[in-house]
Every structure is written in C-alpha cells, then in structure tokens.
Amino acid sequence: PHGQKGERGIPGTDGANGADGADGANGEDGNDGLPGQDGAPGAEGAKGETGAPGNDGAKGPKGERGEPGQKGLAGIKGQKGQQGDDGAQGERGPEGVCEPDDYHPCNCDTHTVVRHSQSTESPECPTDYESLWSGYSLVFFEGNGYGLSQDLGSAGSCLEEFQLVPFMQCSSSDVCRHGVRTDKSFWLAVGAEADFTVKPMTSIDEIQNHISRCRVCVGTKYILTRHSFTDSAPDCPNNFHPLWTGYSYLMVTSSGTSGGGQDLASSGSCLEKFYLPTFIECLGRGTCAYYINNLDYWLAQNPDITQPGMWGMGNVYSGLSDILDQGVARCTVCARNTA
C-alpha cells in the first residue's frame, strides 16, 4: 500500500535549452499601427520640364485710377486738311447791339444780294446770308418804245409774283390801261430749247416753265464782282472770299432802241450759267416767245498780252464750245470777310 503523500520539494535547477521547435503557421494580419513621425526632407529633385500654358484666368476687377502721367512732348504739326463741306445754316441769333468803339469795331451795315438760278427751282442763299423772299427773274420793261432795265443784283429784279406785263400805262386824263399791246416785259430764261419758228406761247403754265427763279438774301458782308477777261474765273481781292463764279453778263437789247445793262460791280453781271438766248420776251397781248432780234451782250476774253486791247477784234465764234472756250469772259462774286 501506498503511504501518504509527502511535502513539496525544493524547485530544481533549470534544465538545458531544448531544441528549436518547427515554424508555426502565419498568424492573421494585425491592425494598422499608429502613423509614424515625418521623415527628414529628401534631397532636391531635378528641375522638371516646362508645362503647357494654362487657360486664361477670369477677368480681374477694374483697378484704381492711376496718377496722371507727365505732359508729353508736342507732336509734329500735321498737314493741312481738305476744306470741309459747308455746314447747315444755323438758327438766327438774337439781335445784336452795335456800339463800336476805338478798340471793338463792328459791322452795322446790311447788304442784299440776289441770286438767279436760271432754272425753275428757287436758288439757295450764299452762306451767312438770310432769305428775304423768292420770285421770278426780271430783266427789263419796255413801254411806249422806252426801256427800263433792272440790275440783276438788286432786289427789284426778283418779283414775287409773275405777270406777263406787271405794269399799266396811265395818261393825264385820269385813265390807266393795263396790258397795252405795245408794252413788253423781259425775263431771264431757263436755257430751254428756243424754237423761233413756233407760235408765241399763250398758256401761263407753259410760259412759267421758261422763267428763271430768284432769291433775295440779306447779310452783313459787302459784295462786289470781279471780271477776268479770260476763260478762268478770277480770284477775289484780299480780305474777300468767293460766293460763286460765272459768266460776265453786260446788257440786252430788243427791237429799236430798247434795252438795258448791268452794273459790272454788281452780282447781277455774273450769271452762273451761260444760255443763249438768255431772256424771253412777253407782250401786252398775252404772249411770250424767243425772238431772233433780241440780243445779249457779254464781256469778251482778252488774254493776248502782245496786243493788249486788240485780241479777238472781228472774230466770230460759232457754236457753244467755241463761245465758252474763246469768247465769253469769266467772273467771280466776292464777299468781304468780316472776321
């Protein structure tokens, strides 16, 4: 029989290490560890290639206004430009007060100028002139064989109403007769074809298609006319400027001793168009026509300085081209500068 179990003995000394056991199987992956501390900066890398340009950015806000720059150097003077077109006529200004003194003179005078269109359209006034009225271009009257001419530069040559014979004949016996058969009126024509073989016109509408229109204008610039005695219009004198150029018209005659002329200083002696015949005759019997015995007189050209005053004597100019090139003189209507 077994005896009683004895007391536990003193632990023995450690035994020698046993041989390594075989590798155990791989365990399951562990959980992610905590992030490690940042490492030291690496060495600078090589410079990369230039990238493609980026897209334009959005437009930025408007910057503040900069300080004014310094005044630049004066530019080179430009060439003189061409003369511009005439501006539209401005509105009439207020009535001025003319009180000239030794230091501030002013032009208190007014001057009239009459313009004839030589057409059925009323002409325009020159620049800086104001229209007073328009009408029909009268050249002269004839009564009882005597003529009374109208300067085509005066207001009396522009009648506001057209009548074949706009005057009457009165005697000392308190009797007046309007439209006496021998009374005549002569009017500036429009350059229509003149047929001397047809009967005189009797229709007022047809007659008016042959009568030139005109306009009376007023301004503060003094007017004069200059004649060249050549085929070129002359320049205006110093301190004057041109209003129009034309042909130097002298006078007209009808049958007998009747006729009349122009003041060569007047604008009426410078017609803007050259027509033959220049005027039409109306009779007290109520007809108007062009007549072969009505004559126009014009200043002639005189360009030959080797024989002054003798050039052209006895010449005959046949045809409009020869008349314009070699015969009729040119003119310019000039207005004095007021500035």
Side-chain angles (χ1 to χ4, degrees), residues 191-203:
E193 188 70 24
D195 188 347
F196 300 105
T197 64
V198 299
K199 292 182 178 180
M201 295 175 283
T202 58
S203 166

Side-chain angles (χ1 to χ4, degrees), residues 208-295:
Q208 285 185 327
N209 289 331
H210 292 259
I211 308 299
S212 168
R213 304 308 196 266
C214 53
R215 188 174 297 276
V216 179
C217 311
V218 65
T220 59
K221 298 179 179 180
Y222 176 73
I223 301 293
L224 60 77
T225 301
R226 194 173 192 181
H227 303 274
S228 70
F229 296 95
T230 70
D231 62 354
S232 298
D235 294 331
C236 288
N238 292 336
N239 299 319
F240 283 76
H241 62 275
L243 297 183
W244 70 78
T245 60
Y247 303 88
S248 301
Y249 193 48
L250 180 60
M251 66 177 183
V252 298
T253 62
S254 181
S255 57
T257 59
S258 179
Q262 305 299 313
D263 182 344
L264 291 179
S266 164
S267 61
S269 67
C270 190
L271 294 184
E272 295 179 68
K273 300 173 184 176
F274 183 86
Y275 293 141
L276 293 178
T278 311
F279 62 96
I280 187 170
E281 177 179 333
C282 297
L283 304 178
R285 65 190 181 196
T287 63
C288 295
Y290 300 98
Y291 292 97
I292 197 70
N293 61 338
N294 289 340
L295 302 177

Side-chain angles (χ1 to χ4, degrees), residues 78-125:
Q79 296 180 346
K80 184 176 181 180
Q82 296 180 347
Q83 182 174 348
D85 297 332
D86 292 340
Q89 182 171 342
E91 296 180 359
R92 181 173 181 175
E95 293 294 335
V97 178
C98 188
E99 296 179 350
D101 54 38
D102 292 340
Y103 301 100
H104 302 89
C106 67
N107 185 357
C108 305
D109 296 332
T110 57
H111 302 277
T112 57
V113 61
V114 182
R115 196 169 195 178
H116 302 273
S117 68
Q118 297 173 265
S119 74
T120 56
E121 299 294 328
S122 296
E124 298 295 329
C125 286

Side-chain angles (χ1 to χ4, degrees), residues 30-44:
N31 297 326
D32 292 340
L34 297 173
Q37 296 180 351
D38 293 339
E44 183 177 355

